[in-house]
Amino acid sequence: MRHFATLTAITLALTTTLVACRDSSSTNPESLKPSGISNQTLQPSPTEQTTASNDNRGFTPNTSLGQKLQQAYPLEYACTQQLCSNDFQKYPSLSKMTETAAIPTEAQKKYYADYIQSALLKYYAARKINSEKWLSLLEAKENDFSTIKLSDDQLRILQTLNALQNADKIPQMKKYWNGKFQEVDFQKAFGIYQHMGKWTYLQQMYPNLSLTEAAQNELKFIESNFTRLEKIVGGANSLDAVITAKIKASEPLDLEEMEELTEYALSIRRLEHFLFGPGNAIITDLMKTSPLTQEQLFKIYSQKKFQKELTKQIQTDLKDNCSERYYQSINLYPQPTQLAKFKELAEQTRESALAILHPQDPAYEKIKEIQFLYPSTSDKNSTAWLASLRSKISSIEDDTVKMDQLDSQSLYGKALILTMFAKNASEVNLCPKIPDTKVSDKNAVGYGYVMVSWYSVKFPELGASILAHELGHSVFAFSSNSESTKSCVKQKQSTEFFADEDFADLFSAKVSQELKSKYQVPTGNMACALMDSLYPLQSRDMSDPHSTLLYRALQIRIASGEQIPTSCQQLAERDNTSATRRCN
C-alpha cells in the first residue's frame, strides 16, 4: 500500500470485532510423527522428494519417512493411502507447489532485475533522501519547539490519533468504539473489507451503484474533506494522481488501486468522523478531561522516536526479501483463461447447490445472492505491484519537496504525529500482499460474500468442491430444512464444535455428485488434496473448528456413496465407531 507520510497508518490498522470467516485450509496442528522423533518437523530428503514424484507429504511408501510413519501408525497410514493415493498423484502438495513457485524462469529473473529491483533501489534512495531532509530540518528548528503553541485544530488531531491508537484503554472511546461506532456505515463496510479485501468496501457503501460510480462518490468525499485536513496536518499526501485520474475518467481500477483507494478513504473518513462528525464530542470531552498539554507534547517529542526511525531508515540498505514472494505471485496465480473458465464452473456449482435445496428454504435465496470474489491473475499481480512501488516512491518524493514549505509550527505538529506513531511505521512492507500461499477460500456468512482462492482456480475440480463447501456454511447458518443432518454430524463426534465445518463437507459432497451428474464435472477429494502429512482420525485440537483432514477425507468418501476401505473401518472401530455412519 501507499506510503502515508502524514496521515499515519494507525488510522488504517485498527480492528473491529467481526463474524469469523471460515477458511478451507487447515493449520495442521496435530499431524502425526513417527514415535521416537519429537519436536522437529519431518521433511523428506531431496532424494526422497524426487522418488515421491508429486507427493512430498512425508508418507510415501518408498521413503524412509513413509516407512517410519507406517510402522508407528499402521491403521492411519493404510487408511490414508487407500483413501487418497489417487488424489496424491493427481494434485501436488501445497508446500511443494509454493516451494516450486518461488523458482523463477530466466525471463522472470530478468524482468525482476530490470523493473522490480530498480524500483526497489529507487524507493530506498528516495527514503534516505527524505529521512536526511527530515533530520536536517528538525535539528535546525527544534530549539523553537518547546515554546511553540499548537493550534486548537492541531491539538484536536493529535488527541484524535491518540484516542484511536489507545481506544481500548480510554473508557469513553472504548464504549463509543464498541457501541455506536460499529453502526456507522463506513465502519460496517470496513468490517467486510477487513476479511475479504478487494472492492467489498465500495460495494457495501454503495450497494446500488457500479464500482466505477462508487469510486467516484468516494473520491468526492475525499476531495471535499482533504483540504481542511491538509491545513491541520501541515501538508498531507493526496490520493495517488493516477488513481484520481482513472476515477474521474470512469476507468476501472485494478485490485491494488481499488484497495489503495479504500484504505485512503477510510483514513479520511475516520479522521473526519472524530474531528468534525458524530465522534467529535468524544474528542472534545477528552480535550477537557485528559488534554495533551504543551509540556506533555514536548516531552513526547523529546523521546525522539521519530528521529531514531529516520536514522534507522538511512542506515538500512536494500535486502532482497521480495523476489520469492514476487515469483510466487505470478507462478501460483491463474492465467486469465483459467479464471474465465472457473467463473463458469462457479456458477454451475451454485446451480448444483440450489438444486439440492428446497426453493422455500431460507438458505436458497442466500445462495442465489452470494457474490463470489475471485483472485487476481498472475499478469495483474505483476503490473499492480510495480505500480504500487512507483506510487510509494512518488509519495516520498512529494513529501520531501513539501517539507520546505512548512513553518516551524507545522513542522512541529507533523513531527509530533510521526513521533507518536513511529513504532507503528518502523518499516513499510514492500513485498506484495499477494500471494496468500494458503488455501484461503472463505465465506463471510453475515455479509453474503465467498472468496475464491488461487488454488481453487488452478485446480478447478477441487475448486468446485471447495466452493461448494463454502456455500455449505451459508446453508448451515440459514437453512430451515437441515436440522436432522446437523444433528447427525454433531452426534458423530459427540460435540457441536466441528458441526459447521463437517456439515459444509457433507454439503460439498452432495453438490459434487450433482455437478458430476448434471454437468459431467468430476471433483476430487479436497481433504486428501490438502493433506501435507499424516493425521489422526479424531481431533484433539479444540481451537480449530475443522476436523482432521483424515476424518474429513473419510466423510467426503462416505457422503459420496463410495466404498470404505477395510483399514478405515478398523480405524473407526478403534477411535470412533460413529465415524463411518452416513448422514443424509
Side-chain angles (χ1 to χ4, degrees), residues 296-530:
Q296 286 175 318
L297 290 171
F298 186 69
K299 186 176 181 180
I300 291 172
Y301 172 80
S302 298
Q303 296 174 4
K304 299 200 172 180
K305 291 181 181 178
F306 180 40
Q307 285 91 325
K308 291 175 184 176
E309 293 298 333
L310 292 170
T311 301
K312 187 189 300 182
Q313 289 177 3
I314 291 172
Q315 296 171 347
T316 301
D317 292 322
L318 172 65
K319 295 179 181 177
D320 182 19
N321 59 352
C322 291
S323 59
E324 182 175 303
R325 288 183 62 79
Y326 171 75
Y327 296 136
Q328 287 176 327
S329 77
I330 56 179
N331 288 327
L332 287 178
Y333 277 65
Q335 298 298 318
T337 52
Q338 290 176 305
L339 183 58
K341 288 181 180 178
F342 187 82
K343 287 182 177 181
E344 293 180 11
L345 178 57
E347 291 307 323
Q348 291 174 340
T349 304
R350 188 203 302 268
E351 290 301 318
S352 298
L354 292 172
I356 62 177
L357 293 173
H358 193 284
Q360 299 303 314
D361 189 329
Y364 188 91
E365 287 301 317
K366 294 292 183 180
I367 297 297
K368 281 183 64 176
E369 295 170 1
I370 282 176
Q371 298 184 59
F372 299 146
L373 303 179
Y374 295 101
S376 183
T377 56
S378 58
D379 55 340
K380 286 186 177 180
N381 284 356
S382 178
T383 56
W385 188 47
L386 182 58
S388 178
L389 264 177
R390 289 171 173 168
S391 176
K392 289 181 175 74
I393 294 166
S394 176
S395 178
I396 294 171
E397 291 175 341
D398 185 51
D399 184 69
T400 303
V401 171
K402 287 181 177 179
M403 269 191 271
D404 287 325
Q405 303 169 14
L406 297 178
D407 56 28
S408 294
Q409 185 186 43
S410 297
L411 184 73
Y412 180 46
K414 192 171 179 180
L416 270 170
I417 291 174
L418 295 172
T419 298
M420 291 172 71
F421 305 107
K423 65 181 180 181
N424 295 292
S426 58
E427 182 57 68
V428 176
N429 180 16
L430 297 180
C431 300
K433 292 188 301 178
I434 44 184
D436 178 354
T437 54
K438 297 179 181 179
V439 181
S440 55
D441 304 74
K442 53 188 174 182
N443 184 339
V445 173
Y447 297 103
Y449 291 93
V450 166
M451 180 177 287
V452 177
S453 73
W454 61 268
Y455 183 89
S456 289
V457 178
K458 293 273 281 211
F459 298 99
E461 294 175 3
L462 292 175
S465 60
I466 293 173
L467 179 58
H469 169 96
E470 298 305 334
L471 295 177
H473 287 304
S474 292
V475 178
F476 185 86
F478 299 111
S479 176
S480 59
N481 297 328
S482 303
E483 293 309 311
S484 61
T485 305
K486 293 177 186 179
S487 177
C488 181
V489 296
K490 293 174 187 177
Q491 290 173 10
K492 287 182 70 167
Q493 300 219 64
S494 302
T495 177
E496 295 186 6
F497 186 72
F498 304 105
D500 193 344
E501 294 294 341
D502 288 350
F503 179 93
D505 281 344
L506 177 59
F507 187 78
S508 173
K510 296 299 184 183
V511 172
S512 295
Q513 288 179 302
E514 183 72 17
L515 264 173
K516 187 175 181 179
S517 172
K518 187 174 182 179
Y519 296 105
Q520 292 73 54
V521 176
T523 56
N525 190 318
M526 61 178 176
C528 287
L530 293 173

Side-chain angles (χ1 to χ4, degrees), residues 54 76 93 226 351 368:
N54 284 339
E76 287 88 349
S93 71
F226 178 76
E351 290 301 318
K368 281 183 64 176

Side-chain angles (χ1 to χ4, degrees), residues 72-356:
Y73 307 101
L75 281 180
E76 287 88 349
Y77 187 89
C79 177
T80 299
Q81 288 286 39
Q82 292 167 11
L83 273 177
C84 298
S85 57
N86 289 336
D87 291 287
F88 289 165
Q89 292 304 313
K90 191 171 183 180
Y91 305 109
S93 71
L94 191 60
S95 60
K96 185 66 174 177
M97 287 183 63
T98 53
E99 177 187 333
T100 303
I103 302 173
T105 64
E106 289 302 315
Q108 288 171 351
K109 285 196 288 187
K110 186 177 188 306
Y111 182 88
Y112 187 88
D114 291 347
Y115 295 97
I116 305 297
Q117 187 81 351
S118 61
L120 285 168
L121 287 168
K122 190 173 182 181
Y123 167 84
Y124 274 84
R127 193 175 71 166
K128 287 187 177 184
I129 292 171
N130 180 270
S131 298
E132 289 167 351
K133 184 72 170 288
W134 263 109
L135 287 172
S136 175
L137 285 173
L138 291 174
E139 184 179 0
K141 297 186 178 183
E142 67 180 4
N143 287 337
D144 301 331
F145 290 168
S146 62
T147 58
I148 286 178
K149 185 177 181 181
L150 297 175
S151 70
D152 288 343
D153 282 340
Q154 287 174 317
L155 290 171
R156 181 172 288 275
I157 200 167
L158 287 166
Q159 192 89 44
T160 299
L161 293 173
N162 182 64
L164 286 169
Q165 184 186 31
N166 298 291
D168 60 334
K169 300 175 184 176
I170 302 172
Q172 306 100 302
M173 189 68 171
K174 184 176 182 179
K175 181 180 178 181
Y176 183 75
W177 186 271
N178 294 327
K180 292 182 179 179
F181 191 54
Q182 300 308 313
E183 298 304 314
V184 175
D185 287 344
F186 73 82
Q187 185 66 8
K188 289 195 290 186
F190 176 60
I192 178 60
Y193 173 78
Q194 271 190 306
H195 279 276
M196 309 304 268
K198 302 189 177 185
W199 50 84
T200 51
Y201 169 80
L202 291 180
Q203 283 185 314
Q204 289 295 120
M205 286 291 288
Y206 307 99
N208 299 318
L209 298 181
S210 68
L211 285 177
T212 299
E213 294 170 327
Q216 290 172 338
N217 275 29
E218 201 67 1
L219 180 61
K220 289 177 183 177
F221 176 86
I222 290 170
E223 291 184 333
S224 66
N225 287 277
F226 178 76
T227 302
R228 57 180 173 176
L229 287 173
E230 183 183 30
K231 288 179 180 178
I232 297 173
V233 175
N237 292 326
S238 58
L239 180 64
D240 181 82
V242 173
I243 295 177
T244 299
K246 288 178 74 171
I247 293 173
K248 290 184 175 180
S250 298
E251 296 177 12
L253 302 180
D254 64 33
L255 178 60
E256 283 286 325
E257 292 168 337
M258 187 70 73
E259 293 191 336
E260 183 173 337
L261 168 65
T262 294
E263 297 194 16
Y264 188 90
L266 281 165
S267 70
I268 298 293
R269 283 192 176 276
R270 284 216 178 129
L271 288 174
E272 189 278 337
H273 180 87
F274 286 101
L275 287 170
F276 315 116
N280 176 276
I282 300 291
I283 306 304
T284 299
D285 182 58
L286 288 174
M287 291 182 74
K288 292 178 180 178
T289 58
S290 306
L292 294 171
T293 65
Q294 185 173 336
E295 292 76 14
Q296 286 175 318
L297 290 171
F298 186 69
K299 186 176 181 180
I300 291 172
Y301 172 80
S302 298
Q303 296 174 4
K304 299 200 172 180
K305 291 181 181 178
F306 180 40
Q307 285 91 325
K308 291 175 184 176
E309 293 298 333
L310 292 170
T311 301
K312 187 189 300 182
Q313 289 177 3
I314 291 172
Q315 296 171 347
T316 301
D317 292 322
L318 172 65
K319 295 179 181 177
D320 182 19
N321 59 352
C322 291
S323 59
E324 182 175 303
R325 288 183 62 79
Y326 171 75
Y327 296 136
Q328 287 176 327
S329 77
I330 56 179
N331 288 327
L332 287 178
Y333 277 65
Q335 298 298 318
T337 52
Q338 290 176 305
L339 183 58
K341 288 181 180 178
F342 187 82
K343 287 182 177 181
E344 293 180 11
L345 178 57
E347 291 307 323
Q348 291 174 340
T349 304
R350 188 203 302 268
E351 290 301 318
S352 298
L354 292 172
I356 62 177

